């Protein structure tokens, strides 16, 4: 569409722009037209989403059938015109005009010889002065000049950008050289951290550096196991998991805020949330409590925290566009986020195998037991157990021992004869499991219609407890294998 | 096999969920059914006529698995029996429950059958439930409240007449021929 004049912008799966390293969003406006009066061939981009960042001005179309995204690098802007306040302008939608440099063909380019005036028509409810102010700040900030250059240090940055630059300055001689290099890097990191935490504003500007630092630390941890010269004792390796958790939470350098998005706040938040949620969801085993996401998301944002209401609204907006995640509410009222492809049946069959183990037949399972087997948080495991109970697979047992679940035997009990036990069924399996108190089952195997039990028996007295024989006849267990 | 007195307990008596009131409807219906039958059969064999909810009723606890029915569960199961006409609450607070493992009509039939085999058509109420003739029959040791209800039912049907006896505290029954 605008391919010849404006470069195309990359989008994520949820329709959010992919930001470059160091790029931070400043403002979002809806229903914005973009066109140029100078060039007739320049396309008229109508009613799109305008996103101002520290590096670019992006325009996204709202038409979901033909999604388009283009951008204008701020570096190509030569001049921003001030708004003329007149009686005429009071009745029209506010306009912002600026001049960009272009190639002779009209393609927007930094070192172009020709120029073009582009007009933005802000049709939505906007505060033009506020946007203009941010536009000026972003353009004058020239953020694109500091990022992307690893060897020169930008204005105001207190730490060195890369250990590679250090390595060039200090002669590396053997092990001591390597150790010294490490030492200097850690010292500069330490100083950087100290500077950052003294002043919250300084922290915001250091945010980009922090993310770079975190990324480097992550790589260092990953290679830590291969490094033979660094002191990797057990303590270090133990906290590796903690470090990864912490690193996960510093993933976002560009929070969508009410200020920058205005009326679009929930929409953009919703998309950003959909992107963010993918990794924690995987780590949580496919289902994560909404409260946990609230904590993780806010931690990642750092400042500009969102309220629980914002979160819930953001999740409910997922229905409106195509996301791989969904919000789910259990009967108990607990709300979770899970993948759309998630299958309950698969979890139920895993639960069923768990409760049929001899230990579980005897004493049931708790939410923590299920959590360990299913690889989810105990609160999530409890929701699954309650759901399985609702389907009739499990029964609850509430006592001073706590809240436990057993395989549901009630359907197996004959309504006509309460003493009748069918051969080869779950009922007879359960009876055998609870009856052998002196012997312990370690495994069972179903082969066709028979059940093969493996058990250990207390051989202290050098013979089987006398009760065994009677029980095995009464409950007709086909075969018993004994092992020491 | 476990027993309570002479009553043989089923295997599911050792199943812990049996002692927790189940919330899921289908499961609870089955649970209630099993408890109703168990209570009736137990009361019949042990000749229990009244269950007090606040008292220790052996059937409602299983020390082997360390479980017993909560007050709420006991009331739920007994109420189910009441709804079916196999029990009656003796007080508004639902603290005592009369168990009709024979319905009143069944008791009435048993009384008539018993009377048939007798020569005397007049006897006291006490004699019916504890006299020599009643020994060995189901009437022996039966609950007085239930006996009176059955007799009143029969009186209503014209099968007998109840009258006050010679001693101040006992009534008598004269059977119609």
């Amino acid at each position: 569409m605008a391919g010849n004049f404006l470069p195309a912008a990359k989008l994520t799966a949820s329709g959010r722009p992919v930001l470059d390293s160091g790029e931070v969003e400043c403002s979002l406006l809806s229903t914005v037209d973009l066109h140029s009066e100078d060039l007739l061939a320049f396309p008229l981009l109508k009613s799109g989403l305008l996103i101002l960042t520290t590096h670019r001005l992006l325009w996204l179309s709202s038409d979901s059938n033909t999604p388009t995204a283009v951008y204008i690098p701020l570096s190509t802007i030569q001049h921003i015109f001030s708004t003329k306040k007149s009686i005429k302008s009071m009745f029209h939608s506010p306009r912002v005009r600026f001049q960009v440099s272009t190639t002779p063909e009209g393609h927007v380019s930094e070192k172009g010889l020709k120029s073009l005036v582009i007009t933005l028509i802000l049709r939505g409810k906007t505060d033009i002065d506020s946007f203009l102010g941010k536009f000026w700040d972003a353009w004058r900030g020239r953020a694109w000049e500091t990022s992307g250059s690893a060897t020169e240090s930008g204005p105001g940055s207190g730490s060195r950008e890369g250990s590679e630059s250090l390595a060039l300055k200090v002669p590396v001689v053997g092990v001591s050289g390597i150790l010294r290099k490490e030492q200097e890097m850690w010292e500069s990191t330490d100083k950087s951290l100290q500077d950052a935490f003294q002043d919250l504003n300084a922290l915001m500007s250091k945010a980009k550096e922090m993310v770079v630092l975190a990324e480097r630390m992550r790589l260092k941890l990953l290679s830590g196991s291969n490094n033979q010269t660094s002191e990797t004792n057990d303590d270090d390796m133990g906290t590796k998991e903690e470090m990864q958790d912490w690193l996960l939470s510093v993933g976002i350098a560009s929070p969508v805020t009410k200020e920058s998005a205005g009326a679009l706040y929930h929409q953009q938040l919703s998309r950003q949330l959909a992107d963010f949620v993918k990794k924690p969801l995987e780590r949580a085993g496919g289902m994560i409590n909404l409260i946990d996401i609230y904590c993780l998301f806010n931690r990642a944002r750092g400042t500009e925290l969102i309220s629980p209401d914002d979160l819930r609204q953001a999740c409910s907006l997922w229905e409106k566009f195509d996301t791989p995640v969904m919000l789910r509410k259990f009967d108990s009222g607990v709300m979770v986020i899970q993948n759309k492809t998630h299958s309950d049946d698969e979890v139920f069959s895993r639960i069923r195998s768990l409760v049929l183990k001899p230990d579980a037949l005897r004493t049931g399972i708790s939410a923590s037991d299920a959590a360990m087997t299913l690889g989810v948080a105990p609160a999530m495991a409890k929701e699954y157990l309650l759901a399985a109970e609702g389907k009739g697979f499990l029964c609850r047992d509430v006592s001073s021992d706590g809240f436990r679940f057993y395989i549901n035997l009630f359907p197996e009990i004959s309504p006509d004869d309460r003493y009748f036990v069918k051969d080869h069924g779950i009922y007879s399996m359960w009876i055998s499991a609870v009856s052998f108190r002196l012997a312990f089952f370690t495994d069972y195997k179903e082969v066709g219609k028979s059940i093969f039990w493996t058990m250990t028996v207390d051989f202290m007295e050098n013979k089987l407890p006398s009760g065994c024989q009677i029980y095995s006849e009464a409950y007709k267990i086909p075969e018993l294998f004994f092992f020491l | 096999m476990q027993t309570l007195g002479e009553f043989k307990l089923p295997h599911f008596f050792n199943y812990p969920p049996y002692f927790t009131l189940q919330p899921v409807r289908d499961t609870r219906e089955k649970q209630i059914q099993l408890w109703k039958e168990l209570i009736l059969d137990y009361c019949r064999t042990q000749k229990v006529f009244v269950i007090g909810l606040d008292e220790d009723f052996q059937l409602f606890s299983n020390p082997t698995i360390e479980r017993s029915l909560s007050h709420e569960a006991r009331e739920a199961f007994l109420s189910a029996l009441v709804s079916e006409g196999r029990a009656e609450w003796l007080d508004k607070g639902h603290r005592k429950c009369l168990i009709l493992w024979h319905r009143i009509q069944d008791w009435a039939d048993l009384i008539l059958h018993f009377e048939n085999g007798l020569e005397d058509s007049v006897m006291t109420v006490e004699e019916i439930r504890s006299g020599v003739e009643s020994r060995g029959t189901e009437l022996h040791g039966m609950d007085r409240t239930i006996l009176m209800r059955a007799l009143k039912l029969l009186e209503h049907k014209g099968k007998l007449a109840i009258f006050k006896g010679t001693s101040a505290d006992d009534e008598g029954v004269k059977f119609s021929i």
Side-chain angles (χ1 to χ4, degrees):
Chain A
M1 202 170 117
N4 289 337
F5 302 96
L6 301 174
K10 279 196 277 200
L11 297 177
T12 67
S14 307
R16 290 259 316 141
V18 174
L19 301 177
D20 295 329
S21 127
E23 188 178 6
V24 179
E25 281 175 19
C26 306
S27 180
L28 274 87
L29 297 174
S30 64
T31 350
V32 175
D33 295 352
L34 192 152
H35 74 110
S36 173
E37 288 160 356
D38 295 349
L39 219 54
L40 289 171
F42 197 98
L44 172 58
L45 306 174
K46 278 188 86 73
S47 279
L49 181 69
L50 189 78
I51 301 178
L52 170 71
T53 74
T54 45
H55 290 55
R56 306 179 279 173
L57 199 61
L58 296 114
W59 186 91
L60 281 67
S61 70
S62 332
D63 184 3
S64 52
N65 289 332
T66 50
T68 337
V70 293
Y71 70 91
I72 299 168
L74 293 181
S75 55
T76 63
I77 296 178
Q78 294 169 328
H79 179 63
I80 300 177
F81 295 98
S82 42
T83 50
K84 285 175 262 185
K85 287 218 161 78
S86 65
I87 296 180
K88 194 169 158 200
S89 68
M90 282 205 296
F91 293 103
H92 290 174
S93 304
R95 282 155 161 73
V96 174
R97 292 162 71 238
F98 55 93
Q99 183 174 306
V100 293
S101 67
T102 66
T103 63
E105 292 83 36
H107 191 107
V108 163
S109 155
E110 224 169 296
K111 305 254 173 26
L113 297 170
K114 300 198 76 177
S115 66
L116 193 62
V117 173
I118 292 181
T119 308
L120 303 171
I121 307 177
L122 313 180
R123 297 193 187 279
K125 281 195 203 138
T126 55
D127 178 4
I128 185 174
D129 290 324
S130 156
F131 170 72
L132 254 185
K134 290 189 188 156
F135 195 13
W136 274 97
D137 286 340
W139 181 53
R140 276 204 286 244
R142 310 195 80 81
W144 58 89
E145 283 172 4
T146 46
S147 61
S149 52
T151 46
E152 50 174 272
S153 38
S157 66
S159 74
R160 280 158 260 222
E161 265 284 51
S163 57
E164 303 82 48
S165 54
L166 276 174
L168 291 169
K169 290 173 191 168
V170 177
V172 175
V173 178
V175 174
S176 63
I178 295 169
L179 287 177
R180 188 163 21 159
K181 178 184 97 174
E182 299 271 354
Q183 180 65 22
E184 280 171 344
M185 198 189 99
W186 281 113
E187 276 171 6
S188 81
T189 305
D190 190 49
K191 182 167 188 311
S192 176
L193 284 167
Q194 279 182 27
D195 287 342
F197 284 111
Q198 267 165 21
D199 183 3
L200 203 60
N201 283 332
L203 179 63
M204 282 303 286
S205 68
K206 297 267 183 217
K208 185 198 80 169
E209 285 179 34
M210 288 298 114
V211 174
V212 169
L213 202 64
E215 185 59 30
R216 243 188 296 131
M217 276 194 205
R218 185 181 76 88
L219 290 169
K220 186 165 160 45
L221 278 172
L222 282 175
S223 67
S225 50
N226 303 329
N227 195 337
Q228 283 153 347
T229 55
S230 66
E231 297 162 59
T232 49
N233 51 34
D234 283 319
D235 282 339
D236 282 336
M237 297 313 276
T239 56
K240 191 172 165 180
E241 192 61 28
E242 283 172 35
M243 280 295 277
Q244 285 189 326
D245 283 315
W246 179 77
L247 289 171
L248 179 68
S249 69
V250 272
I252 297 183
S254 169
V256 174
T257 70
K258 274 199 170 92
E259 217 181 77
S260 60
L264 300 178
Y265 180 60
H266 287 118
Q267 249 197 54
Q268 291 300 307
L269 188 67
S270 177
R271 291 179 193 268
Q272 191 180 57
L273 185 67
D275 287 334
F276 172 79
V277 132
K278 288 194 188 105
K279 266 211 217 124
L281 198 57
E282 220 182 276
R283 284 167 58 91
M287 182 179 279
I288 188 162
N289 202 326
L290 199 63
I291 297 172
D292 293 339
I293 278 296
Y294 172 73
C295 296
L296 288 172
F297 194 49
N298 269 334
R299 261 183 83 198
R301 289 170 69 96
T303 57
E304 308 278 5
L305 307 181
I306 64 168
S307 72
D309 246 348
D310 290 333
L311 181 70
R312 242 184 305 119
Q313 281 217 35
C315 290
S316 55
L317 281 177
W318 284 339
E319 295 169 357
K320 302 232 171 90
F321 57 90
D322 203 15
T323 44
V325 289
M326 57 180 271
L327 182 68
R328 172 183 178 172
K329 189 168 178 179
F330 281 101
D331 291 335
S332 59
V334 168
M335 295 207 270
V336 300
I337 296 175
Q338 67 180 46
N339 283 315
K340 272 191 184 143
T341 54
H342 172 87
S343 149
D344 276 353
D345 287 335
E346 193 261 334
V347 179
F348 289 155
S349 71
R350 278 201 282 162
I351 289 175
R352 190 170 188 274
S353 323
L354 180 61
V355 289
L356 286 177
K357 291 199 188 317
D359 271 340
L361 284 173
R362 269 197 298 272
T363 58
I365 57 170
S366 67
S368 346
D369 297 333
M372 281 197 284
T373 307
L374 300 174
V376 296
M380 300 294 97
K382 184 161 182 187
E383 292 305 320
Y384 277 128
L385 293 176
L386 290 171
E389 180 193 40
K391 286 247 151 110
F393 301 141
L394 303 177
C395 277
R396 64 172 62 180
D397 162 45
V398 177
S399 71
S400 53
D401 291 341
F403 201 126
R404 301 183 78 83
F405 289 89
Y406 288 73
I407 186 84
N408 186 3
L409 286 183
F410 286 107
E412 312 291 319
I413 301 168
S414 162
D416 305 314
D417 176 4
R418 76 171 78 94
Y419 301 102
F420 175 66
V421 181
K422 205 169 55 171
D423 291 344
H424 314 299
I426 294 174
Y427 197 15
S428 75
M429 218 164 96
W430 173 77
I431 291 170
S432 310
V434 300
S435 304
F436 284 86
R437 279 193 251 292
L438 295 172
F440 303 96
F441 283 97
T442 56
D443 202 9
Y444 76 93
K445 203 167 57 171
E446 289 182 68
V447 178
K449 284 198 170 173
S450 311
I451 301 175
F452 288 75
W453 297 92
T454 318
M455 53 186 266
T456 61
V457 179
D458 186 7
F459 277 137
M460 288 289 284
E461 296 174 9
N462 219 22
K463 62 178 181 183
L464 292 172
S466 59
C468 264
Q469 207 53 40
I470 300 169
Y471 284 123
S472 73
E473 277 167 3
Y475 305 147
K476 299 179 195 163
I477 300 166
E479 302 205 27
L480 289 170
F481 294 98
F482 298 95
F483 72 92
L484 285 164
Chain B
M1 185 64 66
Q2 278 172 278
T3 59
L4 262 184
E6 279 155 18
F7 183 71
K8 195 171 112 171
L9 289 168
H11 297 292
F12 59 80
F13 198 72
N14 285 338
Y15 179 55
Y18 188 56
F19 286 84
T20 299
L21 189 59
Q22 296 296 318
V24 176
R25 195 190 57 172
D26 289 343
T27 314
R28 186 173 59 238
E29 274 170 18
K30 186 68 186 278
Q31 184 189 28
I32 288 178
Q33 191 59 35
L34 293 172
W35 269 109
K36 281 198 300 194
E37 288 168 12
L38 200 69
I39 292 170
L40 284 179
D41 282 344
Y42 177 75
C43 289
R44 185 189 356 255
T45 51
Q46 308 294 96
K47 288 218 190 252
V48 172
F49 295 94
V50 177
I51 297 178
L53 259 71
D54 301 325
E55 291 152 25
D56 281 330
F57 187 51
Q58 267 199 305
L59 191 68
F60 290 159
S61 309
N62 186 345
T64 316
I65 57 170
E66 292 171 341
R67 297 281 185 277
S68 47
L69 288 178
S70 65
H71 187 97
E72 187 199 354
R74 294 174 196 214
E75 203 181 324
F77 300 137
L78 291 172
S79 294
L81 275 175
V82 170
S83 303
E84 213 184 282
R86 304 305 299 264
E88 282 174 16
W89 290 112
L90 289 173
D91 63 321
K92 274 215 182 88
H94 291 194
R95 280 197 300 269
K96 281 203 190 304
C97 193
L98 188 71
I99 308 296
L100 302 170
W101 35 270
H102 278 318
R103 295 176 201 275
I104 303 288
Q105 181 56 55
D106 300 330
W107 284 114
D109 292 340
L110 282 168
I111 292 168
L112 284 183
H113 183 82
F114 167 67
E115 188 268 333
N116 263 338
L118 296 176
E119 289 166 10
D120 206 352
S121 64
V122 179
M123 50 178 20
T124 67
V125 171
E126 265 311 303
E127 277 175 328
I128 295 176
R129 60 186 284 267
S130 55
V132 175
E133 279 109 348
S134 70
R135 276 208 210 126
T137 69
E138 289 206 60
L139 301 178
H140 195 83
M142 75 179 283
D143 181 81
R144 200 184 155 94
T145 316
I146 295 180
L147 178 55
M148 288 312 299
R149 296 267 295 275
L151 291 174
K152 288 213 172 75
L153 178 66
L154 287 169
E155 187 181 48
H156 189 77
K157 289 200 175 155
K159 303 281 186 183
L160 53 82
I162 305 172
F163 59 90
K164 280 248 180 276
T166 47
S167 52
D169 53 1
D170 199 16
E171 291 154 290
V173 169
K174 178 170 165 51
F175 291 90
S176 322
I177 302 156

